[in-house]
Amino acid sequence: MSSQDNDQLTDHEYDGIREYDNPLPNWWLMTFFGTVIFAFIYWLHYEVGGGPSLKAELNQAMLALQAHKQQAVVKELSEADLETMLKDPQMAAAGALAFTGKCAACHGPELQGGIGPNLTDAFWLHGKGTREDIMHTIQKGVPDKGMPPWESMLSQNEILSLTALIVSKQDTNPAGAKPPQGEKVR
Amino acid sequence: MNPQGTQTITFDDKIVRYFLLAMIFWAAAALSAGLLAALQLAYWPLNMNLEWITFGRLRPLHTNAAIFAFAGNAIFAGIYHSSQRLLKARMFNDILSKLHFWGWQAIILAAAITLPLGYSQAKEYAELEWPLDIAITVVWVIFAVNFFGTIARRRERHLYVALWFYIATIVTVAVLHIVNSIEIPVSLTQSYPVWVGIQDALIQWWYGHNAVAFFLTTPFLGLMYYYVPKAANRPVYSYRLSIIHFWALVFIYIWAGPHHLLYTSMPDWAQTVGMVFSIMLWAPSWGGMINGLLTLRGAWHLLRTEPVIKFFVAAITFYGMATFEGPLLSIKSVSALGHYTDWIVGHVHGGALGWNGMLSFGMAYFLVPQLWKTDRLSKKWMEWHFWLALLGVILYYVSMVSAGITQGLMWQALNPEGKLVYPDFVETVMRIVPLYWVRAFAGLLYLSGFVLMVVNIVRAIRHQPVQDGTIQVAATVSRSPNEDAGHRRLEGLATIFTVLTLIAVAVASMISIFPILNLKQYVSYEKTVEPWSPLELAGRDIYVKEGCYVCHSQQIRQLPFDVLRFGAASTIEESMWDRPFQWGSKRTGPDLARVGKKYPHLWHYRHMIDPRAVTEKSIMPAYPWLVAKDTDFIGLRKKLSVLKSLGTPYPDDTVANADIVAQKEAAVIARELEAQGAPQGLEKKEIVALIAYLQALGQKATPNAGERP
């Protein structure tokens, strides 16, 4: 109780409320001055001193990611490479899992088609239904028709396994199949 | 009988009782709407397929009720009660007081009807349409005249610090509301803002941020400066601190708005200004907390016995937490993590439930035994209310900050290949749904405490007579400022004090807004951005009406993980025809800035009728009425002509034939939908207009061969 007994009361009184005339706490003042100094230096650096713009920072980060990606990128796979790689039945099983999560909403759970085309028949809209074509369509999508590009969303392995699944489902004639679209290739 | 030379003044405490009861009434509405909204996020079927209470319309109802109805009536109750005593004068005019009260309640009632009907400007905390904007202005002016009239008639030479904060509130809210609401009506229920694109974004967040500052902070600081020393019966800690932190707060707060827009396409300088002023705001805000808490030195024992003091201490502590967290969240790299997430939701509820709520409840408990002849308030119930409320706020805050940081980190996570670890947005939503349940439970705790308060107060005042305060004053009081010097002298000069406050906020506002008024200097002419076509505009107005901005942003930030997820960062040009801008502030669902042409029409058709049909785990409400309702084609002529008058370059014949152009567009989309497997005859339906708009998002810019005009 002693500390505030020494505090100086002002002569102010409003509806019984009195006011002390205590000094501003030092730590509070230091915090205030500190933030003002920081603010000034920050502003000086970015707005006067030529600090990087947000756009420049983004470009740099994207370049770094690109470089990263190029290191990790798999070489372009040919139809023959794919044929050997996709023989493993495990691949198609893994593809089925990815398909249910990402593709079934538009292509139907049995690949029979829906919003998107039937993937089990002999008719193809984009390419000739080769493994290379299928993989390419998954990677790059067909944005005009509403097929999103999946290469940023799915790993190389997932795209391979999806390709394996689609190849394995050819001519399965699922129930409720969507009528053929595109060119007959077989 | 009065002693010689004195007179007795009876305060108008009836109006205080009115505002206090209105506060309690609307708090019930605001808290219930909040609880339902929280439950809808945890369990989407609670949207109940009813357009009026679907989340996109309910959330604005909740925020408007909490801010303007609950907090608003609390402020008015406190200001009318404390000002009369601090000024030793009855309110200037009883009729103005009544007009203020009933006018404000009528506006709230109108809001409670129009927001569920979808009449919204889709600008956060400024959703109400133009007739209500005008009504708010009128009622606010009535309040101002009444308040300043009372100041003019005061029998106290100096203005106490609480009144400084009230003055700052009245002056600044008027400026904010008027500037942000400059709009051109299209019909009785719709208008387009004069501000466009980044202007609209900057001015809206200048408003939005300072609505928090001057509607939820300064008036409540004023209430704190009156009710805390009153309830504790202790002098205020430091008069000098009051002066410094008041002026610092008033001057600095107004600049900080752009911290809501970090990494967006807002020009860098505005973002830097927003960030550095937010950081400088930390100490001035804490000045208020220090003065509040240290006023209780020597009275801490009351914390054990007086629930009112408990509420006040908790309120001030939450104020301190929220005003530390605010500057923290304004640091660009922290904003990169926290923006668009539930961290922000946690932050604002720490302020709203902790600071505004607790202070209002404490004030109500303090006022009831003064305004009614009653000693029947149960302290035990107050204790229960306090602990339920405290537990509710803490649980709310912890759950939402955890949800926000979790989701923010998931959005950022990249694998060694440089790809997103969680590319599926819905996966990041699923992870935090359990926390949405925790949050809803927290809300229930807070609401339960409030119910105890209602019962407690009703029991205390029922059948009890009211009482109005009186005071004996000298018949004549010297108000000559000449005996004072420095700030003390200013405290006796109410008009000059008010003008200085106005200058402080106006100068800061003008410096931070003026550069953006000349939009041309920011627009690059490398690309031409087409205005929305008539049908797209019709769809956009549906997007606005349904409150899609509440959960979906349209602003891809200049951050690598945003770009990887949603595509190239949004540009200034892409929103250059947007009235209102629709950047959003929260991503409960994914960003939509570049959703155009990502999916076929049929995907959108099925998604709007039942989001689960295409995204199994989606928590989005269904919008089946879009398939049943007809698009307002004929109204498009008026809409386009208003937009053209504001500067959108529509050719004259497009304006004159807007409805026909739109119908042709609709027929094309309806045919495409039908070819993809949708039913026939959709061309007149709202769903087609909305699909037209969604498919155009991010698709309007084309490289420009021409010269800079």
Side-chain angles (χ1 to χ4, degrees), chain B residues 624-696:
Chain B
W625 56 89
L626 296 178
V627 185
K629 285 191 180 183
D630 287 343
T631 302
D632 171 23
F633 287 107
I634 205 72
L636 282 169
R637 293 187 194 182
K638 182 74 197 272
K639 288 180 183 178
L640 264 78
S641 80
V642 167
L643 288 174
K644 188 178 165 75
S645 73
L646 287 168
T648 311
Y650 286 117
D652 284 331
D653 59 331
T654 308
V655 176
N657 300 309
D659 49 331
I660 299 164
V661 176
Q663 277 163 341
K664 281 184 187 155
E665 292 178 77
V668 173
I669 292 180
R671 262 202 311 279
E672 288 168 356
L673 264 171
E674 205 186 311
Q676 291 167 7
Q680 280 188 323
L682 289 172
E683 57 275 2
K684 284 194 179 133
K685 302 301 175 190
E686 287 194 337
I687 185 99
V688 167
L690 184 63
I691 290 175
Y693 174 61
L694 292 173
Q695 296 290 32

Side-chain angles (χ1 to χ4, degrees), chain B residues 139-286:
Chain B
V139 172
W140 201 259
V141 168
I142 290 172
F143 172 38
V145 170
N146 206 11
F147 178 80
F148 288 110
T150 315
I151 285 188
R153 288 192 181 176
R154 71 188 185 277
R155 292 180 191 79
E156 184 81 74
R157 192 159 86 215
H158 301 100
L159 300 181
Y160 175 59
V161 51
L163 296 161
W164 313 347
F165 280 101
Y166 300 160
I167 290 171
T169 301
I170 294 172
V171 167
T172 315
V173 168
V175 174
L176 294 167
H177 172 69
I178 291 170
V179 174
N180 191 43
S181 302
I182 303 178
E183 59 227 7
I184 308 290
V186 174
S187 66
L188 190 63
T189 54
Q190 202 202 344
S191 62
Y192 290 123
V194 166
W195 316 118
V196 68
I198 53 170
Q199 286 173 351
D200 200 32
L202 186 71
I203 290 170
Q204 158 61 24
W205 283 113
W206 164 80
Y207 164 89
H209 175 72
N210 289 300
V212 174
F214 290 91
F215 207 89
L216 299 177
T217 303
T218 54
F220 281 89
L221 282 171
L223 300 180
M224 175 193 88
Y225 271 112
Y226 182 79
Y227 290 104
V228 170
K230 269 282 175 195
N233 199 21
R234 295 286 313 164
V236 171
Y237 172 67
S238 170
Y239 164 64
R240 276 184 259 176
L241 184 58
S242 299
I243 297 173
I244 300 292
H245 102 94
F246 171 78
W247 287 107
L249 208 64
V250 167
F251 182 72
I252 296 177
Y253 234 125
I254 208 89
W255 299 80
H259 70 211
H260 291 258
L261 301 164
L262 298 181
Y263 289 106
T264 65
S265 51
M266 185 60 60
D268 282 16
W269 65 263
Q271 301 191 28
T272 300
V273 166
M275 169 177 155
V276 297
F277 274 90
S278 305
I279 287 170
M280 287 191 280
L281 203 47
W282 174 21
S285 303
W286 270 24

